[in-house]
Amino acid sequence: MLNNWKAIVMFLGVAIFYEVLIVLLWLGLKWMITPFIAPKIKLVIGILFFIFANFSILGYVLRLGAPIVNYGNIWFFYFTNGVVVAVILLVARLVLKLFKLNLSQGISLSITTIFLIGMTALGLFWAYSPTVKHQTIKVNKKIERPIKIAMVADIHLGTFFGNGQLEKLNKIINDEKPDAIIIAGDIMDDDMVMYKKRNMGETLSKLSAPLGVYTVMGNHDNDVREITEEISKTGIKVLLDENTKLTDEITLVGRNDKTDRNRKSTEDLLKDVDTNKTTILIDHQPDAIAHHSTLPIDVQLSGHTHRGQIWPINYITDRVYVLDHGYKEINNTHFFTTSGYGFWGPPFKTTARSEVWMITIEGTK
């Protein structure tokens, strides 16, 4: 009961803080547009501003689902960037006052417009133009020949991300010719409404590699049973707190997401694994890297962070995670955290491009 009250108080605190920020943003926008907009039009803009600001939240509360909630999420991109540009303008005004200069409404509006247009263009480009990253690693275990693995995560199939991007992924796979494909969680964007409506399973089933395609569940793969059934139809093997042989020399260990309170510990997962052979852990959230670096794991593949997705949130993820993006070797274990092939919420990425990792694993002979 106490925990419920804590959650309610926290929710109310965040909600009040958010609405205060919305009011402040509106006051700033109102100040900028006043010389150029008639009072009646300004009133209409104000009403629309507050509707958009709360549309997505109401959608979640009323459980309206896709695609309504997804369209509402677009607001949060402009909210975040609106706060950033507001801080920039505030600092600029304070500095100019030291020199007895003023920052006019027209110049402020121009700076805001240019900033938002620029971030929108960058966000759309980075979200829908994936890049391919290559990394070769060596493990001190026997592998007859190098194995090339394509790794993606956070595809978030839904309203804004679907068949078109899956076709791009298929082309990348066909060009790179990996031996195996691993999806490190969050295939779906909370639900499967748009996945089914747009028949994305047919396109997803085109993903193939000689040694197979494997995935684990992420925190946005909400209905694990239904998603597992649908994904299995495409030929992708879902690993639910279990392991499987990729080759006679390499074992894949798929860990359930931390939102599953009944998931096994990593130590329990490794009990049935011959760790004298190369062991690859697929763990959606990279929040246990320090601990996993002490276990007999050779490679860990993760996603989840999106590297913050929207600048400057990446400064927060960088503080929260040992590795919020990229590759790092710790205690002879190779860790990878991808910024994701897709995105969650607003269809923009301004901290890192959508990406596909091509990881070549070499061993001893």
Side-chain angles (χ1 to χ4, degrees):
M1 188 70 178
L2 184 60
N3 288 335
N4 289 338
W5 276 108
K6 285 182 178 179
I8 292 171
V9 170
M10 184 177 295
F11 173 79
L12 290 174
V14 172
I16 292 170
F17 180 68
Y18 172 73
E19 293 301 333
V20 169
L21 286 179
I22 295 302
V23 171
L24 292 175
L25 285 178
W26 166 243
L27 291 175
L29 178 60
K30 181 183 176 183
W31 172 76
M32 288 189 291
I33 65 175
T34 293
F36 314 103
I37 302 293
K40 288 184 179 179
I41 297 177
K42 188 165 59 177
L43 176 62
V44 173
I45 292 174
I47 293 171
L48 292 174
F49 183 87
F50 282 96
I51 290 174
F52 289 143
N54 293 283
F55 184 81
S56 182
I57 296 172
L58 289 173
Y60 279 112
V61 171
L62 298 175
R63 298 185 179 181
L64 299 179
I68 295 173
V69 167
N70 302 116
Y71 286 113
N73 284 338
I74 293 174
W75 157 260
F76 291 107
F77 175 77
Y78 292 101
F79 167 72
T80 304
N81 283 286
V83 171
V84 171
V85 76
V87 171
I88 292 172
L89 291 175
L90 181 60
V91 172
R93 288 189 70 187
L94 292 174
V95 171
L96 288 172
K97 276 189 176 181
L98 296 175
F99 299 95
K100 297 182 179 180
L101 297 172
N102 289 319
L103 188 63
S104 71
Q105 291 151 293
I107 292 176
S108 298
L109 184 60
S110 297
I111 292 172
T112 300
T113 302
I114 293 170
F115 182 83
L116 293 180
I117 290 174
M119 295 302 278
T120 298
L122 176 67
L124 287 171
F125 178 72
W126 276 9
Y128 290 101
S129 302
T131 186
V132 180
K133 294 190 172 183
H134 295 84
Q135 183 72 45
T136 298
I137 60 174
K138 294 185 178 181
V139 297
N140 193 29
K141 294 177 182 177
K142 183 181 178 182
I143 299 178
E144 283 295 328
R145 68 172 183 85
I147 296 294
K148 185 177 183 180
I149 294 175
M151 191 268 280
V152 296
D154 303 284
I155 300 177
H156 289 279
L157 295 173
T159 302
F160 300 122
F161 209 83
N163 289 313
Q165 294 306 108
L166 286 176
E167 290 291 3
K168 286 184 180 181
L169 180 58
N170 285 326
K171 185 179 184 306
I172 290 171
I173 297 300
N174 291 335
D175 291 343
E176 293 286 339
K177 297 178 173 55
D179 297 298
I181 302 169
I182 293 177
I183 305 171
D186 276 358
I187 292 182
M188 300 298 166
D189 196 34
D190 295 319
D191 59 45
M192 301 186 70
V193 174
M194 303 310 292
Y195 176 85
K196 292 180 177 179
K197 186 176 181 179
R198 295 175 181 171
N199 194 26
M200 296 180 196
E202 183 177 338
T203 313
L204 186 63
S205 66
K206 295 178 184 178
L207 275 181
S208 64
L211 298 179
V213 185
Y214 305 86
T215 190
V216 295
M217 294 290 98
N219 58 302
H220 287 282
D221 295 316
N222 289 335
D223 192 330
V224 172
R225 179 177 295 180
E226 182 184 14
I227 292 173
T228 298
E229 290 176 358
E230 287 293 326
I231 293 302
S232 296
K233 294 176 185 177
T234 69
I236 297 174
K237 181 173 177 56
V238 183
L239 300 177
L240 301 173
D241 268 357
E242 58 187 308
N243 67 79
T244 188
K245 283 187 177 182
L246 184 63
T247 69
D248 289 337
E249 302 162 326
I250 301 175
T251 302
L252 296 181
V253 180
R255 192 181 189 201
N256 287 1
D257 185 69
K258 68 181 295 184
T259 51
D260 177 3
R261 296 181 180 179
N262 298 315
R263 72 170 177 172
K264 296 179 181 178
S265 67
T266 308
E267 287 87 345
D268 285 340
L269 289 174
L270 294 174
K271 285 179 180 178
D272 299 325
V273 176
D274 182 1
T275 54
N276 291 314
K277 297 180 179 180
T278 299
T279 303
I280 301 174
L281 175 67
I282 314 167
D283 193 2
H284 177 62
Q285 300 193 39
D287 59 337
I289 285 179
H291 175 57
H292 287 168
S293 68
T294 66
L295 300 179
I297 298 166
D298 299 291
V299 182
Q300 177 175 312
L301 306 178
S302 301
H304 180 66
T305 69
H306 296 237
R307 206 191 180 193
Q309 186 167 322
I310 300 173
W311 185 84
I313 299 175
N314 53 300
Y315 293 110
I316 298 175
T317 59
D318 184 54
R319 291 276 184 172
V320 171
Y321 298 97
V322 173
L323 181 66
D324 79 320
H325 179 239
Y327 161 73
K328 192 172 187 179
E329 184 179 356
I330 306 173
N331 294 339
N332 296 318
T333 302
H334 302 272
F335 292 94
F336 292 85
T337 303
T338 173
S339 62
Y341 184 69
F343 47 78
W344 179 80
F348 307 95
K349 298 180 80 168
T350 52
T351 58
R353 281 179 69 174
S354 294
E355 62 186 24
V356 180
W357 279 85
M358 291 293 163
I359 304 165
T360 301
I361 304 175
E362 298 177 348
T364 60
K365 293 185 179 180

